[in-house]
Amino acid sequence: MLKLLDISKKYGDATHKYPFEPYVVADNFRGKPAYKFDLCIGCAACGIACPSNAITVQFNEDQSKLVWEFDCGRCIFCGRCDEVCPTAAITLSNEFELAVKFDKNALIQRGELETQYCSKCNKPFSAKRLVHYGYECLSKANLGEKRLKEAENYLTVCPTCKKTATATSFTRGEEMVIE
Ligand code: SF4
Ligand code: SF4
């Protein structure tokens, strides 16, 4: 018994006074993903990477907004969203006290982004922020004014219209240009 007390004295406290004192988590602790709406471009990489479908990115009913939604009740704190997000809009935090009172909807977080409509067919296909982000990246690539303008036009066209333009130019044997 005395030996045990000696060992305890040597190593100090092994327990914490939580919840009477704040609990300090370890470095790189994987707590609740924290979402920064202002940084989100609506690329949906987090939604694709999320293994438990805790994150969804889809248009609302009238397609006027691209809705980013996170259900903390489904999250397994794997950190895939944090790894793939290109703008650090979602990062794992140290937060671990996640209980809510009675209403499971309190676990849900949403962000609504402006829809980008196709400049050819006017169908919604992306978020305006994503198109802007793509343009910002390309404008750093020294493309020259003409190519940059072409790239800007290209970014505002939906995948279906891009495919049609590619097929048309291919059959004519011309270079594809979207104006
Ligand atoms: S931590 Fe994992 S489970 Fe939770 S939202 Fe991110 S990707 Fe999904
Ligand atoms: S910017 Fe980050 S948080 Fe927003 S949709 Fe893309 S991956 Fe998800």
Side-chain angles (χ1 to χ4, degrees):
M1 181 68 187
L2 285 174
K3 192 175 171 192
L4 193 60
L5 287 172
D6 274 351
I7 293 170
S8 303
K9 202 170 161 192
K10 183 174 164 195
Y11 289 103
D13 292 341
T15 54
H16 299 271
K17 294 199 171 74
Y18 180 82
F20 305 105
E21 284 179 6
Y23 183 73
V24 180
V25 296
D27 291 345
N28 299 323
F29 178 78
R30 295 196 295 201
K32 179 185 175 185
Y35 177 59
K36 298 181 194 82
F37 173 72
D38 290 347
L39 296 181
C40 181
I41 54 174
C43 67
C46 54
I48 293 164
C50 179
S52 62
N53 294 330
I55 297 175
T56 53
V57 184
Q58 55 198 5
F59 286 113
N60 64 358
E61 211 167 321
D62 67 4
Q63 303 195 313
S64 60
K65 293 277 193 300
L66 188 69
V67 182
W68 180 96
E69 193 170 284
F70 168 60
D71 182 351
C72 193
R74 296 188 67 97
C75 181
I76 56 170
F77 311 101
C78 64
R80 285 292 292 133
C81 51
D82 183 332
E83 284 166 23
V84 300
C85 180
T87 60
I90 188 158
T91 48
L92 294 195
S93 70
N94 287 344
E95 202 180 330
F96 64 91
E97 292 161 313
L98 307 176
V100 293
K101 276 187 196 164
F102 308 118
D103 184 10
K104 282 208 298 190
N105 287 327
L107 293 165
I108 292 173
Q109 200 176 349
R110 281 164 67 97
E112 296 190 348
L113 296 103
E114 290 293 324
T115 295
Q116 175 70 49
Y117 296 91
C118 175
S119 57
K120 295 286 171 198
C121 68
N122 211 32
K123 280 197 187 137
F125 73 98
S126 185
K128 280 188 177 166
R129 283 188 191 178
L130 182 55
V131 171
H132 182 71
Y133 179 80
Y135 180 77
E136 290 287 302
C137 293
L138 287 169
S139 60
K140 290 175 193 150
N142 283 332
L143 290 178
E145 209 170 311
K146 185 169 173 279
R147 296 299 281 177
L148 189 60
K149 184 67 195 156
E150 281 172 17
E152 189 182 5
N153 291 340
Y154 190 79
L155 285 169
T156 57
V157 173
C158 73
T160 310
C161 290
K162 278 186 191 126
K163 270 191 222 160
T164 308
T166 308
T168 308
S169 54
F170 182 74
T171 47
R172 287 181 187 160
E174 297 166 354
E175 191 186 347
M176 187 185 77
V177 179
I178 292 178
E179 288 163 344

